[in-house]
Amino acid sequence: MRDELPTAAIPGADLGWMLGVILQAWHEAVEDALSDVPQGIRGYRILTVAAHHKPATQSELARHLSIDRTVLPYILDELESAGLVERHVDAKDRRARRVVITDDGRVRLRRAEAAVQAAQDEVLAGVPTGTRKRFLHSASALALSIHSAQPYLDPCLAVLDVVRE
Amino acid sequence: MRDELPTAAIPGADLGWMLGVILQAWHEAVEDALSDVPQGIRGYRILTVAAHHKPATQSELARHLSIDRTVLPYILDELESAGLVERHVDAKDRRARRVVITDDGRVRLRRAEAAVQAAQDEVLAGVPTGTRKRFLHSASALALSIHSAQPYLDPCLAVLDVVRE
DNA sequence: TATTGTTATACTCTATAACTATA
DNA sequence: TATAGTTATAGAGTATAACAATA
């Protein structure tokens, strides 16, 4: 370990600071691009998971979004009253609700995905293609490494367990 | 543009999500390692800037930390009453206070830097050295690209204007 | 008895507004 | 008049606690 760290190169610009700068720019750009999706980025993520994974329960969604489960109801209420998702009682465990995306939800998601992609491209536009690729790939590897090492007994979301259509 | 994006590869794990996972892990580990520094990460960053840059005003520090200037007083109060920094009235503009680090502050910072480094190493330990290096370098390039494109008329902090001892 | 989802409440954090002292 | 720093207050966001339904 003890790599050639940019941390040492620019005092005050530690890794956390750098990631904060990037993430903040990403958030602003993407939140802006998602003005027509209820609850913005959170609503978008819920739609994404609902569309591409097998229906998750609210607890699973909460863990995936890294928020408390008590925050979910009002987010889902908005998505549901906008007709983008539905809460289905799980047949095997009638306490749990599976969040299912509607046809309208899929249409809205499709538009949103394009908008998010465009916004993200703009955030990344300041560095050359090679740097961009290296950043996306290494960030992906690192995030999955951290995520899969989470001490959850009950795993957050089987991120790799994707339902391919 | 339109690179081979992990975004498309793993639905629900967009760039913002990945950075959030990494940054959260970093925050937890580092905040933990900085238990003896008043105000944790923020206190640490203030000490770092005060030690390695020419003394910044509180407005400059606020912008560097991406917080409102009204949040700084209570942070500085703690650092000052712990004897780690001092507020010096700027001779050229008696309204402004320059935040200066004390000798005790430098000692505390030295310990803190080692602790932060160790914590960060642990966060990054899950991926191979090459990935780690690529991540740190590309993140650095991207963060500086975004940061220098900020629409501040009054620049946040001349990150490159470092005072080398 | 434990867990899912829900609601109400309390708490934390942040930003807004108003003030002072300088410019 | 505008800006740096400060303070008090209001607002947004979050978690804590208590509840009903189900396991």
Side-chain angles (χ1 to χ4, degrees), chain A residues 48-63:
Chain A
T48 304
V49 170
H52 301 295
H53 297 255
K54 54 186 173 194
T57 65
Q58 299 187 196
S59 310
E60 287 169 342
L61 281 177
R63 278 191 294 271

Side-chain angles (χ1 to χ4, degrees), chain B residues 3-35:
Chain B
D3 306 319
E4 228 187 286
L5 293 177
T7 302
I10 304 173
D14 55 88
L15 178 59
W17 182 87
M18 298 189 301
L19 293 182
V21 167
I22 301 169
L23 188 52
Q24 186 176 308
W26 187 90
H27 249 90
E28 283 168 14
V30 171
E31 200 72 76
D32 225 62
L34 290 177
S35 55

Side-chain angles (χ1 to χ4, degrees), chain A residues 58-59 69-70 87 95 97:
Chain A
Q58 299 187 196
S59 310
R69 62 177 182 149
T70 59
R87 281 183 256 220
R95 293 171 303 180
R97 309 292 147 97

Side-chain angles (χ1 to χ4, degrees), chain A residues 80-141:
Chain A
E80 196 166 29
S81 68
L84 306 180
V85 301
E86 289 170 357
R87 281 183 256 220
H88 289 187
V89 175
D90 186 318
K92 306 224 168 93
D93 183 346
R94 297 178 44 76
R95 293 171 303 180
R97 309 292 147 97
R98 301 262 166 201
V99 177
V100 177
I101 193 167
T102 64
D103 289 342
D104 280 3
R106 282 184 198 279
V107 173
R108 190 78 67 98
L109 176 59
R110 212 125 41 202
R111 271 209 311 266
E113 280 171 337
V116 167
Q117 187 64 64
Q120 179 171 305
D121 286 350
E122 215 167 295
V123 172
L124 300 175
V127 296
T129 309
T131 304
R132 213 154 52 222
K133 274 190 176 163
R134 282 193 291 279
F135 180 67
L136 288 168
H137 281 93
S138 56
S140 164

Side-chain angles (χ1 to χ4, degrees), chain B residues 58-59 69-70 87 95 97:
Chain B
Q58 298 186 196
S59 309
R69 63 180 182 144
T70 59
R87 280 184 256 220
R95 293 170 304 181
R97 310 292 149 95

Side-chain angles (χ1 to χ4, degrees), chain B residues 49 54-66 69 72 97-98 154-158:
Chain B
V49 171
K54 53 185 171 196
T57 66
Q58 298 186 196
S59 309
E60 287 169 342
L61 280 177
R63 278 192 293 272
H64 176 65
L65 299 180
S66 298
R69 63 180 182 144
L72 260 173
R97 310 292 149 95
R98 301 263 167 200
D154 180 25
C156 158
L157 246 193

Side-chain angles (χ1 to χ4, degrees), chain B:
Chain B
M1 207 126 319
R2 189 88 354 147
D3 306 319
E4 228 187 286
L5 293 177
T7 302
I10 304 173
D14 55 88
L15 178 59
W17 182 87
M18 298 189 301
L19 293 182
V21 167
I22 301 169
L23 188 52
Q24 186 176 308
W26 187 90
H27 249 90
E28 283 168 14
V30 171
E31 200 72 76
D32 225 62
L34 290 177
S35 55
D36 66 333
V37 173
Q39 296 295 325
I41 292 173
R42 287 177 172 175
Y44 166 75
R45 291 214 175 110
I46 290 174
L47 291 180
T48 305
V49 171
H52 300 295
H53 297 254
K54 53 185 171 196
T57 66
Q58 298 186 196
S59 309
E60 287 169 342
L61 280 177
R63 278 192 293 272
H64 176 65
L65 299 180
S66 298
I67 59 177
D68 195 89
R69 63 180 182 144
T70 59
V71 185
L72 260 173
Y74 79 88
I75 302 179
L76 289 177
D77 285 350
E78 270 205 34
L79 286 169
E80 196 166 28
S81 70
L84 305 180
V85 301
E86 289 169 359
R87 280 184 256 220
H88 289 188
V89 175
D90 187 317
K92 305 224 168 94
D93 183 347
R94 296 176 45 76
R95 293 170 304 181
R97 310 292 149 95
R98 301 263 167 200
V99 177
V100 177
I101 193 168
T102 64
D103 289 343
D104 280 2
R106 283 185 197 278
V107 173
R108 189 78 65 98
L109 176 59
R110 211 123 45 202
R111 270 209 310 267
E113 281 172 337
V116 167
Q117 188 65 64
Q120 178 170 307
D121 286 350
E122 214 167 295
V123 172
L124 300 175
V127 295
T129 310
T131 304
R132 212 154 53 223
K133 275 190 175 163
R134 281 192 291 278
F135 179 67
L136 289 167
H137 281 93
S138 55
S140 165
L142 185 53
L144 292 183
S145 134
I146 290 169
H147 184 260
S148 62
Q150 300 283 38
Y152 294 133
L153 308 169
D154 180 25
C156 158
L157 246 193
V159 187
L160 300 171
D161 184 12
V162 181
V163 175
R164 295 282 181 204
E165 289 124 33

